[in-house]
Amino acid sequence: MDLSVSSSSLVPFSLSLHSNAPKLLRLSRTSTTFFRKPPSISRQNKLAIITAIQVSTQSENDDFVLEDVPHLTNFLPDLPSYPNPLNKRQAYSIVKKNFVSPEDVVAQNVVIQKESPRGVHFRRAGPREKVYFEPEKVRACIVTCGGLCPGINTVIREIVCGLNNMYGVQDILGIEGGYKGFYSKNTLMLTPKVVNDIHKRGGTFLRTSRGGHDTHKIVDNIQDRGINQVYIIGGDGTQRGASLIYEEMSMERSHSLIHLVLFYNHLFMKEVKKRGLKVAVAGIPKTIDNDIAVIDKSFGFDTAVEEAQRAINAAHVEVESVENGVGIVKLMGRYSGFIAMYATQASRDVDCCLIPESPFYLEGRGGLFEFIEQRLKENGHLVIVVAEGAGQEYVAAEGHASDKKDASGNKLLLDVGPWLSDKIKDHFTVFRKMAVNMKYIDPTYMIRAIPSNASDNIYCTLLAQGAVHGAMAGYTGFTIGPVNSKHAYIPIARVTERQKTVKLSDRMWARLLASTNQPDFVASEQES
């Protein structure tokens, strides 16, 4: 198998490593060096180590990093390959270039300076000329986990149709009820006919649950059922579960595992021979909050922003129709305020947007109360959008802070919407002796439960087909997603290492502040 990446300035290389963590391959004209992060090294330290090595071995202009995904041949070296069945598919007969070149990669950063390193790249997604599964011997399964999100059913449908229509796979199982379904024997057979119209519905056709991840039970069940392709649709917690499943099947049961760890210029090698299991694990990242690292956006996000407009518009109509109307719309966003930020900019009817990343305060110069009073005097009404994770420190300080977590391990948040409504109403009626008409809207479950829009439907199709192409090509332990608008295979560990958040120093947040003219609470607090 050829997994090489080359260019006019780089020597070709082939990949024979297997790892549950991202592999970093650093190339120059004169040397080829492999790096794999040891379990005890943080990502920050790893990057610092790489930089130090880079300076000592090569010029920065030659720097090239490929964060690659594992392949079944890494621990099953004698695995045979087969011609891709797409060659015989009528739909692909008109395509000028059917297959993605093994040299194609996607750059994580497309804007770089002239003298800066070339940076991190990921393997480009798409069909390969060779596959490592015979379609008639594939038994695939699909499972959905975590909360609801628009587009889940579209992803399920397109995985089934992609496997069947493109590759001729007939044996596809749906695991019902999340991870628990693996060992509670809840399954159903999936065919294009069964999933034909599920994309028109909200929710998940396979049902979902949080938690229930028992790695050993799941892998035992996968092996007992003869499943050799696993498609897991879920958020960062679910993707961590996918990573554990992959580790259990490949790391702990691999036939041959070679670790090449470069740590402060000390190289050592370890070979472990263990039992091999031919199973490809593909993750399709799902979170309505759009907080998954590396990828441009998660599916369902566009639909969520579009639907949030209805709630904002309703709030605006309500507050315009009364004297001193104050509307509050609470949107999703536990730790990341992307939905609130984008919905605010798309709406043009929002006066203030509060997100978890940007602390705010109520009283004093430059505070929220002062801003509300000013807008009421100017316009007679205003609309506030607040993400569910915003202001948690204030709500906790006045109530009973809870350390409880849901089944997925997420901390249960206190409800900032009613708290903020009460604080605003009390301040203006009691202290300012000014009557305000409060209108509070929480459209969370309405947004989560709707089918995906046209944009997300197309996006879900690309994600599903990319996952199918990757699994059939023998890649495993990967997740699929767009990086700078090009779909790529990304190590699961890479997208679960941190949550993506709104950067207050970026232009997008500056555009919002310019649009709403709301206070920059942090700056105002420092000045006062």
Side-chain angles (χ1 to χ4, degrees), residues 201-222:
R201 315 176 208 167
T204 166
F205 173 71
L206 295 176
R207 294 186 291 113
T208 186
S209 66
R210 295 188 183 274
H213 187 276
D214 188 319
T215 305
H216 293 286
K217 283 185 179 180
I218 291 172
V219 175
D220 287 344
N221 187 265
I222 288 171

Side-chain angles (χ1 to χ4, degrees), residues 10 22 52 160 216 256 349 433:
L10 301 176
V160 173
H216 293 286
S256 175
D349 287 331
K433 306 301 181 181

Side-chain angles (χ1 to χ4, degrees), residues 161-223:
C161 293
L163 283 168
N164 187 280
N165 298 338
M166 292 191 297
Y167 288 96
V169 174
Q170 303 291 326
D171 195 353
I172 308 169
L173 297 176
I175 307 297
E176 296 184 289
Y179 280 130
K180 297 175 183 178
F182 276 105
Y183 44 87
S184 60
K185 310 297 183 183
N186 296 334
T187 61
L188 70 158
M189 291 297 300
L190 300 179
T191 65
K193 185 176 181 179
V194 170
V195 301
N196 181 55
D197 62 351
I198 64 172
H199 62 290
K200 300 175 183 178
R201 315 176 208 167
T204 166
F205 173 71
L206 295 176
R207 294 186 291 113
T208 186
S209 66
R210 295 188 183 274
H213 187 276
D214 188 319
T215 305
H216 293 286
K217 283 185 179 180
I218 291 172
V219 175
D220 287 344
N221 187 265
I222 288 171
Q223 190 169 11

